[in-house]
Amino acid sequence: MTPLCVNALRRSARQIFLKAVEAADPARAVRNALNQSPFPPPGPNGQYYVVSIGKAAPAMMREALRHIDGEYQALCVTHPENEEQIDGATCLHGAHPVPNENSLAAGQAVKDLLAQAGADDQVIALISGGGSALMALPADRISIEDKGKVSALLLGVGIDITQMNLVRQQLSQLKGGGMLRVASPAPVTAYILSDVIGDDLRAIASGPTVAPIGTRDNARAICKAAGVWSDLPASVQKHLSQSGAPDDVPQTAQNHLIGSNRHSLHAAVLEAQSVGAVQIISDMLTGDVRDAATTLLDAAETAPAGTLTVLLAGGETTVQLTGTGRGGRNQELALHVAMGAAKRGLHGDWVFLSGGTDGRDGPTDAAGGIVDADSLGRMIDAGTDPAALLHNNDSYAALQASGDLLMTGATGTNVADIQCFLIAKS
């Protein structure tokens, strides 16, 4: 591959990804929703209670406050990289992807605020991805440390986000409609930016304003099927083994979906059309990264000759953690594609990008990875063994060695992942 060609393809892949991120701008999503239907007003003796939770919380809160006419109290819960102040709102920082004491403090603050709301008040909930870990208030007799252990265990076995959040809901006071219980009798209107493939509102940030996904029995079955039941803290095992269920959700919120991965994938398509012939491989690319890599490479092998083809996908894959390395699902997917392409002898000039729209892939500072036909060679020249690093789930080290980490910084939004595979065959 010529340096000129690979550099052009890399620039195009990055631009396509950034257009997808731009389409998920949370302020624009809130603004568009409120232009169509303004906030419902509180009663004659009431005020607004505004709670914004998730990685996109600051932008959603700032835009929402521009549309409020009247008295309000506002609380924003986001991750530490969003170090911005919001006039008229208190901003707290939790932890992600595993909750900590800061997450606990944020969860308690949300509960304390909403418990003040009465029948004449109007609660506005602004929900985005990451809220499950950033706002954590465990069920009685479960510590935040035990809740964090559950999250870490489930992240390590590669279950999908819906299953994970079903379990989280059964261990929480605020998830699975818990915010509705706390806020009752005040009415609740929610504006939701989806990071869940398929846009199941029950799974986004573990559904604080919707009914739970399942039951304690379902949660227990998931943990046993994933092989982590015996490793769960005793307090969690005891809670999930109890009969009964949380109190019924006392009311139904007005929930509005205002942005999603599919919206971003559509924006990526529009940008890619200026580059080459576009094919959408999947708008629900889920499951293990190894299977996802196979799907993407199969499509690349069948791309026609004589043109530049842009293969696009959106979704959220999973990783089986068996090693001790550092990385994330997008970085590991990129490394799997690089190694798979070399093994298959993929013809043509190509570049593959996989990135998280939040700018953070796993517990790293990278959004994902962007690889090409020379990536493995650069890793080896740098003195690393890409196969050994992949086996140790150390994709960050491999991509760092080859200069293939996708670095964007925190984007302030989160609608899962976008994949872009550019291939030109002669």
Side-chain angles (χ1 to χ4, degrees), residues 55 184 196 199 218 243 256 268 272 304 328 339 354 389:
K55 294 182 179 180
S184 181
V196 173
D199 302 328
N218 298 142
S243 59
H256 303 278
M339 297 193 68
S354 185
L389 291 172

Side-chain angles (χ1 to χ4, degrees), residues 60-81:
M60 295 179 78
M61 174 67 84
R62 188 174 292 105
E63 183 62 31
L65 293 184
R66 293 192 180 105
H67 297 260
I68 285 185
D69 182 17
E71 296 295 320
Y72 68 86
Q73 295 189 55
L75 176 61
C76 177
V77 177
T78 189
H79 60 105
E81 291 176 347

Side-chain angles (χ1 to χ4, degrees), residues 7 14 17 66-67 97 115 125-126 132 193 215 224 226 243 253 264 269 281 305 330 384 389 397:
N7 288 339
R14 184 181 178 89
F17 174 73
R66 293 192 180 105
H67 297 260
L126 308 165
S132 290
L193 189 67
T215 65
K224 289 182 176 180
S243 59
S264 286
V269 169
I281 302 305
N330 290 289
T384 66
L389 291 172

Side-chain angles (χ1 to χ4, degrees), residues 187-356:
V188 178
T189 303
Y191 300 84
I192 302 171
L193 189 67
S194 174
D195 68 331
V196 173
I197 304 309
D199 302 328
D200 185 344
L201 300 187
R202 301 172 303 168
I204 302 163
S206 294
T209 64
V210 295
I213 303 167
T215 65
R216 290 179 188 176
D217 288 345
N218 298 142
R220 189 168 64 250
I222 287 170
C223 293
K224 289 182 176 180
V228 300
W229 176 258
S230 61
D231 297 321
L232 294 178
S235 64
V236 174
Q237 290 188 15
K238 182 177 180 180
H239 181 79
L240 293 181
S241 297
Q242 291 173 348
S243 59
D247 295 337
D248 289 338
V249 176
Q251 60 178 323
T252 301
Q254 295 296 318
N255 291 305
H256 303 278
L257 179 67
I258 62 172
S260 70
N261 185 266
R262 284 174 177 168
H263 293 145
S264 286
L265 184 58
H266 178 67
V269 169
L270 294 179
E271 179 66 21
Q273 286 173 343
S274 66
V275 176
V278 180
Q279 297 180 28
I280 296 179
I281 302 305
S282 175
D283 63 357
M284 296 186 68
L285 189 67
T286 58
D288 191 87
V289 290
R290 292 167 293 189
D291 297 330
T294 298
T295 297
L296 291 159
L297 287 166
D298 287 347
E301 282 192 326
T302 60
T307 186
L308 173 60
T309 301
V310 184
L311 308 174
L312 295 174
E316 185 170 282
T317 55
T318 56
V319 174
Q320 291 280 347
L321 292 178
T322 56
T324 60
R326 183 171 176 233
R329 60 182 180 265
N330 290 289
Q331 295 164 66
E332 188 144 326
L333 177 55
L335 186 53
H336 270 292
V337 166
M339 297 193 68
K343 185 176 181 179
R344 295 182 184 213
L346 183 63
H347 296 296
D349 294 340
W350 62 267
V351 164
F352 174 73
L353 178 153
S354 185

Side-chain angles (χ1 to χ4, degrees), residues 34-163:
L34 295 179
N35 286 340
Q36 295 177 25
S37 179
F39 287 137
N45 299 311
Q47 65 173 322
Y48 287 104
Y49 287 86
V50 188
V51 177
S52 191
I53 300 159
K55 294 182 179 180
M60 295 179 78
M61 174 67 84
R62 188 174 292 105
E63 183 62 31
L65 293 184
R66 293 192 180 105
H67 297 260
I68 285 185
D69 182 17
E71 296 295 320
Y72 68 86
Q73 295 189 55
L75 176 61
C76 177
V77 177
T78 189
H79 60 105
E81 291 176 347
N82 282 342
E83 292 291 348
E84 45 194 321
Q85 297 300 312
I86 303 172
D87 290 340
T90 299
C91 195
L92 301 178
H93 300 108
H96 188 275
V98 177
N100 65 6
E101 291 291 337
N102 291 334
S103 305
L104 176 62
Q108 188 63 55
V110 169
K111 181 178 180 180
D112 291 345
L113 178 64
L114 294 182
Q116 302 174 37
D120 255 9
D121 297 312
Q122 174 68 51
V123 173
I124 302 298
L126 308 165
I127 309 296
S128 59
S132 290
L134 296 169
M135 175 190 71
L137 193 60
D140 291 342
R141 298 182 180 84
I142 297 175
S143 68
I144 190 63
E145 291 79 14
D146 285 351
K147 185 82 179 291
K149 289 176 184 176
V150 175
S151 292
L153 284 168
L154 295 177
L155 285 166
V157 295
I159 67 173
D160 67 41
I161 190 64
T162 300
Q163 291 179 308

Side-chain angles (χ1 to χ4, degrees), residues 411-423:
T411 64
T413 191
N414 185 22
V415 293
D417 307 331
I418 294 291
Q419 288 79 31
C420 179
F421 205 142
L422 287 80
I423 181 166

